[in-house]
């Protein structure tokens, strides 16, 4: 799905990953679920490019519904997979999730069942953990198409980050926030469920406020948000 020139989404409002098309190739941001592999291939075909045009994968964090096809892509093409050092163990399957009590409150059977059904349909149970990652840190600018910059947003997980790509005026936020709670069905800016440290997750959103050049805020779950970044942190807190 083309969002804007050189900016594409694969998946949907339940689970999404993104492609940045720039000089020198393609950068993949997040890798959805294992079954999004076919969506990736279809999107590349529509762009008249191949897997070999991908130069790297940047993960916003290490949860299973964000690392989906990353290991398959890495093994098949040799591209590096970047993740914040604090989430490397999570992406490699050696560290358990630690969501705070109550961070999944308000669950409604219908939306939760749809999320589970979609995840199963996209082979979430087949997700492979990463056997090799390239650790990154807050402030790093990666040598990838679009020159993505890492902005540390610990809270959802210790190594949760946003990925800022000025060339496409996009900010990929992973699960630092959501515009659709997959467990309750509620839409609009709000905190993500299954968050390790909800208070920290809200506090660190202020780090995004200075990014005046952003037109696309792209979460891992939910519709893109096109409001001013200066209103983002307040909007999420109001939706808490």
């Amino acid at each position: 799905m083309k969002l804007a020139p050189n900016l594409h989404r694969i998946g949907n409002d339940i689970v999404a990953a993104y492609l940045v098309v720039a000089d020198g190739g393609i950068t993949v941001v997040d890798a959805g679920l294992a079954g999004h592999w076919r969506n990736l291939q279809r999107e590349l075909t529509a762009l008249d490019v191949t897997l070999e045009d991908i130069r790297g994968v940047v993960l916003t964090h290490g949860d299973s519904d964000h690392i989906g096809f990353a290991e398959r892509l890495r093994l098949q093409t040799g591209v590096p997979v970047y993740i914040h050092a604090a989430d490397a163990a999570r992406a490699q399957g050696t560290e358990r999730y630690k969501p705070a009590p109550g961070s999944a409150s308000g669950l409604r059977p219908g939306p939760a069942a749809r999320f589970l059904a979609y995840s199963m349909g996209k082979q979430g149970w087949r997700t492979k953990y990463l056997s090799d990652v390239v650790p990154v840190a807050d402030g790093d600018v990666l040598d990838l198409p679009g020159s993505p910059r890492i902005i540390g947003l610990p809270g959802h997980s210790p190594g949760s980050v946003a990925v800022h790509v000025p060339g496409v005026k996009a900010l990929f936020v992973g699960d630092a926030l959501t515009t659709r709670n997959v467990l309750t069905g509620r839409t609009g800016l709000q905190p993500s469920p299954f968050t390790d440290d909800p208070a920290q997750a809200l506090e660190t959103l202020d780090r995004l406020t200075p990014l005046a050049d952003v037109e696309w805020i792209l979460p891992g779950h939910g519709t893109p948000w096109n409001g001013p970044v200066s209103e983002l942190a307040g909007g999420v807190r109001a939706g808490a």
Side-chain angles (χ1 to χ4, degrees), residues 83-108:
I83 190 167
H84 192 283
D87 258 31
R90 184 174 290 203
Q92 292 177 297
T94 60
E95 182 179 279
R96 292 177 178 270
Y97 302 147
K98 301 175 183 177
S103 68
S105 61
L107 181 148
R108 294 174 58 202

mmCIF file of all heavy atoms in Angstrom, residues 83-108:
data_model
loop_
_atom_site.group_PDB
_atom_site.id
_atom_site.type_symbol
_atom_site.label_atom_id
_atom_site.label_comp_id
_atom_site.label_asym_id
_atom_site.label_seq_id
_atom_site.Cartn_x
_atom_site.Cartn_y
_atom_site.Cartn_z
ATOM 1 N N ILE A 83 18.600 -3.324 15.756
ATOM 2 C CA ILE A 83 17.688 -3.186 16.888
ATOM 3 C C ILE A 83 18.454 -2.559 18.047
ATOM 4 O O ILE A 83 19.679 -2.750 18.170
ATOM 5 C CB ILE A 83 17.077 -4.542 17.291
ATOM 6 C CG1 ILE A 83 15.942 -4.359 18.305
ATOM 7 C CG2 ILE A 83 18.138 -5.502 17.830
ATOM 8 C CD1 ILE A 83 15.087 -5.600 18.503
ATOM 9 N N HIS A 84 17.758 -1.801 18.862
ATOM 10 C CA HIS A 84 18.421 -1.209 20.032
ATOM 11 C C HIS A 84 19.022 -2.307 20.897
ATOM 12 O O HIS A 84 18.422 -3.368 21.089
ATOM 13 C CB HIS A 84 17.420 -0.391 20.837
ATOM 14 C CG HIS A 84 18.055 0.485 21.872
ATOM 15 N ND1 HIS A 84 18.531 -0.016 23.071
ATOM 16 C CD2 HIS A 84 18.319 1.822 21.879
ATOM 17 C CE1 HIS A 84 19.042 0.973 23.782
ATOM 18 N NE2 HIS A 84 18.937 2.103 23.092
ATOM 19 N N ALA A 85 20.202 -2.034 21.415
ATOM 20 C CA ALA A 85 20.930 -3.047 22.191
ATOM 21 C C ALA A 85 20.105 -3.583 23.357
ATOM 22 O O ALA A 85 20.203 -4.770 23.705
ATOM 23 C CB ALA A 85 22.250 -2.456 22.702
ATOM 24 N N ALA A 86 19.264 -2.732 23.951
ATOM 25 C CA ALA A 86 18.481 -3.163 25.112
ATOM 26 C C ALA A 86 17.372 -4.140 24.747
ATOM 27 O O ALA A 86 16.790 -4.772 25.633
ATOM 28 C CB ALA A 86 17.892 -1.945 25.825
ATOM 29 N N ASP A 87 17.039 -4.266 23.464
ATOM 30 C CA ASP A 87 16.017 -5.212 23.027
ATOM 31 C C ASP A 87 16.586 -6.371 22.216
ATOM 32 O O ASP A 87 15.823 -7.210 21.720
ATOM 33 C CB ASP A 87 14.947 -4.505 22.185
ATOM 34 C CG ASP A 87 13.668 -4.229 22.985
ATOM 35 O OD1 ASP A 87 13.783 -4.024 24.212
ATOM 36 O OD2 ASP A 87 12.579 -4.208 22.388
ATOM 37 N N ALA A 88 17.888 -6.427 22.089
ATOM 38 C CA ALA A 88 18.506 -7.481 21.278
ATOM 39 C C ALA A 88 18.150 -8.865 21.812
ATOM 40 O O ALA A 88 17.793 -9.776 21.045
ATOM 41 C CB ALA A 88 20.014 -7.295 21.230
ATOM 42 N N ALA A 89 18.218 -9.046 23.127
ATOM 43 C CA ALA A 89 17.907 -10.352 23.709
ATOM 44 C C ALA A 89 16.453 -10.731 23.480
ATOM 45 O O ALA A 89 16.126 -11.897 23.248
ATOM 46 C CB ALA A 89 18.234 -10.357 25.203
ATOM 47 N N ARG A 90 15.564 -9.762 23.511
ATOM 48 C CA ARG A 90 14.150 -10.036 23.257
ATOM 49 C C ARG A 90 13.958 -10.512 21.821
ATOM 50 O O ARG A 90 13.228 -11.474 21.568
ATOM 51 C CB ARG A 90 13.327 -8.777 23.526
ATOM 52 C CG ARG A 90 11.833 -8.971 23.384
ATOM 53 C CD ARG A 90 11.040 -7.728 23.812
ATOM 54 N NE ARG A 90 11.095 -7.512 25.252
ATOM 55 C CZ ARG A 90 10.195 -6.814 25.942
ATOM 56 N NH1 ARG A 90 9.157 -6.273 25.312
ATOM 57 N NH2 ARG A 90 10.320 -6.647 27.239
ATOM 58 N N ALA A 91 14.613 -9.858 20.876
ATOM 59 C CA ALA A 91 14.491 -10.246 19.470
ATOM 60 C C ALA A 91 15.148 -11.591 19.189
ATOM 61 O O ALA A 91 14.782 -12.273 18.229
ATOM 62 C CB ALA A 91 15.111 -9.174 18.577
ATOM 63 N N GLN A 92 16.085 -11.980 20.030
ATOM 64 C CA GLN A 92 16.773 -13.257 19.853
ATOM 65 C C GLN A 92 16.154 -14.376 20.686
ATOM 66 O O GLN A 92 16.635 -15.506 20.676
ATOM 67 C CB GLN A 92 18.252 -13.092 20.193
ATOM 68 C CG GLN A 92 18.975 -12.200 19.184
ATOM 69 C CD GLN A 92 20.427 -11.967 19.534
ATOM 70 O OE1 GLN A 92 20.747 -11.374 20.564
ATOM 71 N NE2 GLN A 92 21.326 -12.426 18.679
ATOM 72 N N GLY A 93 15.082 -14.045 21.395
ATOM 73 C CA GLY A 93 14.338 -15.068 22.111
ATOM 74 C C GLY A 93 14.938 -15.509 23.426
ATOM 75 O O GLY A 93 14.519 -16.534 23.976
ATOM 76 N N THR A 94 15.861 -14.739 23.960
ATOM 77 C CA THR A 94 16.501 -15.138 25.217
ATOM 78 C C THR A 94 16.028 -14.314 26.410
ATOM 79 O O THR A 94 16.521 -14.483 27.514
ATOM 80 C CB THR A 94 18.028 -15.024 25.100
ATOM 81 O OG1 THR A 94 18.394 -13.671 24.805
ATOM 82 C CG2 THR A 94 18.551 -15.937 23.999
ATOM 83 N N GLU A 95 15.075 -13.428 26.179
ATOM 84 C CA GLU A 95 14.534 -12.613 27.271
ATOM 85 C C GLU A 95 13.020 -12.596 27.169
ATOM 86 O O GLU A 95 12.459 -12.367 26.100
ATOM 87 C CB GLU A 95 15.074 -11.179 27.194
ATOM 88 C CG GLU A 95 14.594 -10.286 28.318
ATOM 89 C CD GLU A 95 15.181 -8.890 28.208
ATOM 90 O OE1 GLU A 95 16.342 -8.698 28.626
ATOM 91 O OE2 GLU A 95 14.486 -8.008 27.675
ATOM 92 N N ARG A 96 12.333 -12.824 28.262
ATOM 93 C CA ARG A 96 10.881 -12.865 28.276
ATOM 94 C C ARG A 96 10.295 -11.452 28.291
ATOM 95 O O ARG A 96 10.921 -10.503 28.766
ATOM 96 C CB ARG A 96 10.377 -13.615 29.520
ATOM 97 C CG ARG A 96 10.703 -15.112 29.517
ATOM 98 C CD ARG A 96 10.221 -15.745 30.817
ATOM 99 N NE ARG A 96 10.466 -17.177 30.828
ATOM 100 C CZ ARG A 96 9.611 -18.084 30.380
ATOM 101 N NH1 ARG A 96 8.442 -17.691 29.877
ATOM 102 N NH2 ARG A 96 9.894 -19.371 30.426
ATOM 103 N N TYR A 97 9.072 -11.339 27.777
ATOM 104 C CA TYR A 97 8.335 -10.088 27.882
ATOM 105 C C TYR A 97 7.978 -9.845 29.352
ATOM 106 O O TYR A 97 7.739 -10.781 30.113
ATOM 107 C CB TYR A 97 7.046 -10.136 27.067
ATOM 108 C CG TYR A 97 7.237 -10.429 25.605
ATOM 109 C CD1 TYR A 97 6.278 -11.143 24.898
ATOM 110 C CD2 TYR A 97 8.357 -9.988 24.918
ATOM 111 C CE1 TYR A 97 6.429 -11.407 23.534
ATOM 112 C CE2 TYR A 97 8.527 -10.252 23.575
ATOM 113 C CZ TYR A 97 7.557 -10.960 22.890
ATOM 114 O OH TYR A 97 7.701 -11.221 21.556
ATOM 115 N N LYS A 98 7.909 -8.573 29.734
ATOM 116 C CA LYS A 98 7.593 -8.237 31.119
ATOM 117 C C LYS A 98 6.556 -7.118 31.181
ATOM 118 O O LYS A 98 6.801 -6.048 31.755
ATOM 119 C CB LYS A 98 8.865 -7.816 31.862
ATOM 120 C CG LYS A 98 9.954 -8.886 31.883
ATOM 121 C CD LYS A 98 11.226 -8.361 32.514
ATOM 122 C CE LYS A 98 12.337 -9.409 32.475
ATOM 123 N NZ LYS A 98 13.607 -8.880 33.031
ATOM 124 N N PRO A 99 5.383 -7.303 30.579
ATOM 125 C CA PRO A 99 4.383 -6.232 30.618
ATOM 126 C C PRO A 99 3.917 -5.948 32.036
ATOM 127 O O PRO A 99 3.804 -6.860 32.860
ATOM 128 C CB PRO A 99 3.243 -6.773 29.756
ATOM 129 C CG PRO A 99 3.420 -8.257 29.764
ATOM 130 C CD PRO A 99 4.894 -8.486 29.856
ATOM 131 N N ALA A 100 3.668 -4.681 32.314
ATOM 132 C CA ALA A 100 3.225 -4.287 33.643
ATOM 133 C C ALA A 100 1.825 -4.815 33.911
ATOM 134 O O ALA A 100 1.006 -4.923 33.001
ATOM 135 C CB ALA A 100 3.240 -2.770 33.758
ATOM 136 N N PRO A 101 1.524 -5.156 35.165
ATOM 137 C CA PRO A 101 0.158 -5.574 35.501
ATOM 138 C C PRO A 101 -0.842 -4.491 35.106
ATOM 139 O O PRO A 101 -0.625 -3.310 35.355
ATOM 140 C CB PRO A 101 0.216 -5.756 37.023
ATOM 141 C CG PRO A 101 1.662 -6.014 37.318
ATOM 142 C CD PRO A 101 2.431 -5.193 36.318
ATOM 143 N N GLY A 102 -1.910 -4.901 34.464
ATOM 144 C CA GLY A 102 -2.939 -3.949 34.068
ATOM 145 C C GLY A 102 -2.721 -3.299 32.718
ATOM 146 O O GLY A 102 -3.588 -2.558 32.243
ATOM 147 N N SER A 103 -1.571 -3.545 32.069
ATOM 148 C CA SER A 103 -1.305 -2.881 30.796
ATOM 149 C C SER A 103 -2.130 -3.458 29.652
ATOM 150 O O SER A 103 -2.114 -2.933 28.544
ATOM 151 C CB SER A 103 0.187 -2.965 30.445
ATOM 152 O OG SER A 103 0.571 -4.295 30.149
ATOM 153 N N ALA A 104 -2.839 -4.558 29.924
ATOM 154 C CA ALA A 104 -3.740 -5.121 28.915
ATOM 155 C C ALA A 104 -5.188 -5.062 29.402
ATOM 156 O O ALA A 104 -6.024 -5.874 29.002
ATOM 157 C CB ALA A 104 -3.344 -6.556 28.586
ATOM 158 N N SER A 105 -5.488 -4.084 30.250
ATOM 159 C CA SER A 105 -6.834 -3.986 30.820
ATOM 160 C C SER A 105 -7.836 -3.514 29.773
ATOM 161 O O SER A 105 -7.467 -2.931 28.754
ATOM 162 C CB SER A 105 -6.832 -3.017 32.009
ATOM 163 O OG SER A 105 -6.442 -1.730 31.596
ATOM 164 N N GLY A 106 -9.100 -3.760 30.028
ATOM 165 C CA GLY A 106 -10.157 -3.322 29.127
ATOM 166 C C GLY A 106 -10.390 -4.240 27.950
ATOM 167 O O GLY A 106 -11.132 -3.898 27.024
ATOM 168 N N LEU A 107 -9.777 -5.409 27.961
ATOM 169 C CA LEU A 107 -9.898 -6.348 26.843
ATOM 170 C C LEU A 107 -11.362 -6.624 26.531
ATOM 171 O O LEU A 107 -12.171 -6.866 27.421
ATOM 172 C CB LEU A 107 -9.167 -7.643 27.181
ATOM 173 C CG LEU A 107 -9.157 -8.753 26.126
ATOM 174 C CD1 LEU A 107 -7.861 -9.543 26.227
ATOM 175 C CD2 LEU A 107 -10.349 -9.689 26.301
ATOM 176 N N ARG A 108 -11.679 -6.590 25.231
ATOM 177 C CA ARG A 108 -13.017 -6.940 24.747
ATOM 178 C C ARG A 108 -12.891 -8.165 23.852
ATOM 179 O O ARG A 108 -11.974 -8.250 23.022
ATOM 180 C CB ARG A 108 -13.622 -5.777 23.977
ATOM 181 C CG ARG A 108 -13.893 -4.551 24.839
ATOM 182 C CD ARG A 108 -14.366 -3.388 23.994
ATOM 183 N NE ARG A 108 -15.571 -3.726 23.239
ATOM 184 C CZ ARG A 108 -15.938 -3.075 22.131
ATOM 185 N NH1 ARG A 108 -15.188 -2.102 21.647
ATOM 186 N NH2 ARG A 108 -17.051 -3.428 21.509
#
